[in-house]
Amino acid sequence: MSFFRRMFGGQSSSTDRSAPSTPPQPAPAPANDQPVTTTTGPIVFGDGATRPLIEDTLYTYTGSEHITFGQASDVGMMRSNNQDAAQSFFTTVQSVDQRPDFGFFVVADGMGGHHDGEKASAIAARMVAVQIMNTIYVPILMGRDNEQPISESLSSAVQKANGDVIAKVPDGGTTVTAVVLVNDLAYVAHVGDSRVYLINGDTIERLTRDHSLVQRLIELDQITPEEANDHPQKNVLYRALGQSDLIDVDILTRRLPAKASLLLCSDGLWNLVEDHELMQTVRSAGTPQEACQRLVALANKRGGNDNITVIVVRLPG
């Protein structure tokens, strides 16, 4: 299995063909009964048990409030071009049809020489968006049953994006992290080391697992999180779009509490801003867009050594 190496300081990225063919085996998923990884089968939990996937049930908000969101992307202080891509979409319908509020949010962090990274991330974000619209939203809008569960449609969307990246940018790759929101039910698809956080009250929870070498080593207790910050291979990914014809996609489903926020971001943000700072900034900001702008500014203040992309989604309550 090839590894993608992302280099800072304006240097290009490449595929490291000398890397081990098999990454270290992961430690058991975190306890607390939270789903971590699945593709099209049952959800696997931290206790090793499996449970059926949550059935796709559409709920309607009471009242007239709806979600709000913000989005920002910045080249940072060290790079000459922005290899990140982001896409946000939200719609609400008020009619006798009683369609649920619907949104999708995508962050992709490209890698590759010259402009390959920015092409790969743009292609991935666009293809995921197109597939979500065609296979998930349009059937909901038309009142038709989805041909397959939303989680499976989302996984298929990422697979198609992977094929598009391989075909059109053979020397590039990208992470992709996408959220489909149907009222307060969130479906997350994830490949790479961009992240999704759930912020609820005074707590912040990372919903995604980094597909990086250092994360594997942390899970195996071979290094500490502090040691990972300075590890020479901290930017090596063992899973990314553009890497192989068939990609494993992490899928999870969560019911979101009222007034909670989702934060999607590239590593240009979370590498420089601590989790408690992410939470405090999102909570204290008057709007999701203000939160995004303040987070980008904070990352740039800390050095801005990578592109910075963030989406904040706030639920009504």
Side-chain angles (χ1 to χ4, degrees), residues 34-221:
Q34 296 301 331
V36 174
T37 303
T38 183
T39 50
T40 58
I43 297 176
V44 179
F45 287 76
D47 58 4
T50 58
R51 295 158 175 69
L53 286 168
I54 299 173
E55 293 184 2
D56 293 332
T57 305
L58 305 184
Y59 293 82
T60 303
Y61 292 135
T62 58
S64 59
E65 290 186 286
H66 304 281
I67 74 164
T68 54
F69 68 90
Q71 176 180 301
S73 187
D74 191 81
V75 69
M77 307 298 290
M78 305 284 290
R79 298 296 184 93
S80 60
N81 65 327
N82 193 343
Q83 296 194 334
D84 288 357
Q87 188 151 346
S88 298
F89 173 86
F90 173 74
T91 181
T92 184
V93 176
Q94 292 182 318
S95 73
V96 70
D97 292 332
Q98 292 294 310
R99 301 294 184 251
D101 284 359
F102 180 90
F104 67 79
F105 308 91
V106 184
V107 168
D109 182 356
M111 59 202 81
H114 196 46
H115 295 291
D116 288 335
E118 65 186 27
K119 293 176 183 176
S121 63
I123 288 170
R126 179 173 65 247
M127 178 56 68
V128 169
V130 168
Q131 291 298 314
I132 288 173
M133 291 295 292
N134 289 339
T135 65
I136 300 176
Y137 178 61
V138 169
I140 290 176
L141 183 64
M142 299 303 294
R144 303 197 307 261
D145 291 335
N146 293 86
E147 294 182 359
Q148 59 184 355
I150 291 176
S151 56
E152 293 184 17
S153 296
L154 188 52
S155 179
S156 296
V158 175
Q159 295 286 357
K160 289 183 179 296
N162 179 59
D164 225 21
V165 169
I166 291 174
K168 297 178 180 178
V169 196
D171 293 325
T174 183
T175 72
V176 68
T177 300
V179 175
V180 168
L181 198 57
V182 183
N183 282 338
D184 62 346
L185 188 58
Y187 301 83
V188 180
H190 168 68
V191 177
D193 67 348
S194 298
R195 291 180 176 180
V196 178
Y197 293 89
L198 172 62
I199 298 170
N200 182 30
D202 59 356
T203 64
I204 181 169
E205 176 188 359
R206 175 152 58 101
L207 300 183
T208 53
R209 172 180 290 166
D210 297 341
H211 298 141
S212 64
L213 178 61
V214 294
Q215 181 62 38
R216 291 279 194 174
L217 296 176
I218 290 171
E219 292 167 355
L220 293 169
D221 292 326

Side-chain angles (χ1 to χ4, degrees), residues 226-302:
E226 292 73 24
E227 291 171 333
N229 293 330
D230 300 316
H231 196 279
Q233 293 180 306
K234 65 177 293 185
N235 301 311
V236 176
L237 300 182
Y238 63 82
R239 194 190 304 176
L241 269 65
Q243 182 181 14
S244 60
D245 291 338
L246 186 62
I247 193 88
D248 289 332
V249 183
D250 288 1
I251 297 289
L252 65 90
T253 307
R254 286 289 293 270
R255 183 78 62 190
L256 304 180
K259 300 183 180 180
S261 295
L262 288 175
L263 187 155
L264 293 75
C265 63
S266 61
D267 67 336
L269 179 65
W270 62 257
N271 259 327
L272 297 175
V273 182
E274 299 290 337
D275 286 5
H276 72 275
E277 296 174 309
L278 298 175
M279 179 193 68
Q280 291 170 356
T281 302
V282 170
R283 289 191 62 200
S284 62
T287 66
Q289 187 60 42
E290 178 188 342
C292 292
Q293 293 166 342
R294 287 171 58 183
L295 288 169
V296 168
L298 182 56
N300 276 326
K301 184 178 180 181
R302 301 277 171 81

